[in-house]
Amino acid sequence: MNWIRKKLDEVKAPFQPGEKYEKFAPAINALDTFLFVPNHTTKKGAHVRDAVDLKRTMITVVLALIPALIFGMWNTGYQHFTQLGESPGFFEAFMHGAWKIVPMIIVSYGVGLALEFAFAIMRGHEVNEGYLVTGLLIPMIMPVDIPLWMVALSVIFAVLIGKEAFGGTGMNILNPALTARAFAFFAYPTYMSGNKVWVSEASTMDGITGETILGTLAANKDVAYQTADMFTGVIPGSISETSTLCILAGALLLVLTKVGSWRIILSGFVGAAVMGLIFNALGNSVFTGNGLMNFPWYNHLVVGGLAFGIVFMATDPVSAAQTMRGKIIYGFLIGLFGIMIRVFNPAYPEGIMLAILLMNVFAPTIDYYVVQANINKRKKRLKPQTVKTA
């Protein structure tokens, strides 16, 4: 490590204050802070001093995403070969998925980090580590065959409009990764929905259908998969959203390290379960309902992007509610609205994206009323004491 430290110091020399490339110092400092812990601490202001910094927080989230990513690579290849009537080995299926997904990750990080570096140099501040997570999340929630230039445009929109327009890392109102997906969904709908985008090369081969479970239910067809298939994730879908098992493994790491809020995760699943139970009751009594309304509530929790959205998107500490009670309300409403949109709008059965973006907007309002309710409660406690003293 000392050898790397010395070499890096030599490279940094022309970027020091007063030197020729001083203006580009944020770019080389980003590499320094990525490789080594910064040797300075906060000196003034009311800051929480802790061993956990933004870099470690982001790396923890990236590690939590790895199980879903690895499984997504294997499942991409598995779905491709099995729908062609072949029986692939693990390595063959994994390599097919990696061949498709790795270029998407490279494009996402290449384009996104280039913009981050450009804004850091232009504004004269250090490069933040926030894009480490966003850059991995964006390809993980896309269909596997989406063209790379669409991934690049989605990244540009997310960084410019979803993040930098509000001031950069820590200032965004909406989750940047979901902003990228929303852009791709509305700008290129034929590449983001339908039954030919969820399995690798389905659009170019007649033998592959690739319809998702939610798409099948929206068309009022019977689902051939069992609950165990939906939970383990051996089904068509976005790259890393299919395996609830791997997503929960990542959720466990986030909760144990206190990087992700268990209140948001738990209340999100509870909200989805409550809404699923309500629809199941209505479908069995008052209304005939569609396939999504009569889909068992527990199956709603393990299909589509619900689990991935709640664990990795709703818990975004910047765009989520900040108060303890507010997090419970925020997560509960995301689960509730996610299933509601899924059932009421069969043309868009994947409702979790819109539910999270909607609650991102209302998160400050939720916090305001939670704080205001606490203030009013304390005021009521003071009134009897004032009367008694008088």
Side-chain angles (χ1 to χ4, degrees), residues 116-327:
E116 290 276 334
F117 276 61
F119 273 95
I121 292 171
M122 184 173 65
R123 291 176 172 170
H125 63 65
E126 299 298 325
V127 175
N128 297 300
E129 291 83 359
Y131 195 76
L132 286 177
V133 172
T134 303
L136 186 56
L137 279 175
I138 290 175
M140 290 176 74
I141 57 176
M142 294 287 185
V144 66
D145 279 340
I146 186 171
L148 294 179
W149 65 268
M150 290 186 188
V151 177
L153 285 180
S154 301
V155 168
I156 292 171
F157 183 86
V159 174
L160 292 181
I161 306 301
K163 193 174 176 183
E164 296 299 336
F166 296 97
T169 300
M171 305 296 288
N172 51 289
I173 297 173
L174 305 174
N175 181 284
L178 278 181
T179 306
R181 195 179 194 281
F183 170 81
F185 180 81
F186 290 109
Y188 313 106
T190 55
Y191 289 88
M192 296 293 294
S193 60
N195 60 357
K196 289 289 186 180
V197 302
W198 305 112
V199 173
S200 174
E201 299 175 8
S203 60
T204 59
M205 297 183 185
D206 294 334
I208 302 179
T209 57
E211 200 166 31
T212 64
I213 290 175
L214 294 178
T216 303
L217 292 168
N220 283 325
K221 299 177 183 175
D222 293 330
V223 174
Y225 298 100
Q226 303 297 317
T227 302
D229 300 323
M230 303 175 199
F231 181 70
T232 54
V234 191
I235 55 176
S238 291
I239 293 170
S240 300
E241 71 172 20
T242 61
S243 176
T244 306
L245 177 63
C246 291
I247 293 167
L248 291 180
L252 184 63
L253 176 60
L254 294 181
V255 171
L256 290 178
T257 55
K258 298 184 179 180
V259 170
S261 168
W262 66 266
R263 291 177 176 83
I264 295 177
I265 296 173
L266 182 61
S267 61
F269 280 108
V270 170
V274 168
M275 198 70 250
L277 282 167
I278 292 173
F279 279 125
N280 285 174
L282 292 174
N284 292 327
S285 57
V286 183
F287 304 104
T288 303
N290 56 23
L292 288 163
M293 180 178 284
N294 294 303
F295 195 44
W297 66 270
Y298 49 85
N299 283 343
H300 269 296
L301 306 184
V302 293
V303 298
L306 186 118
F308 193 84
I310 288 176
V311 172
F312 292 108
M313 309 289 190
T315 55
D316 175 10
V318 178
S319 54
Q322 305 298 312
T323 57
M324 295 297 110
R325 188 173 298 176
K327 289 178 180 177

Side-chain angles (χ1 to χ4, degrees), residues 41-63:
T41 59
T42 181
K43 293 183 174 60
K44 61 182 181 179
H47 296 87
V48 176
R49 290 163 174 78
D50 196 287
V52 178
D53 56 12
L54 181 61
K55 180 167 60 178
R56 295 186 186 184
T57 300
M58 295 296 105
I59 291 295
T60 302
V61 181
V62 170
L63 292 176

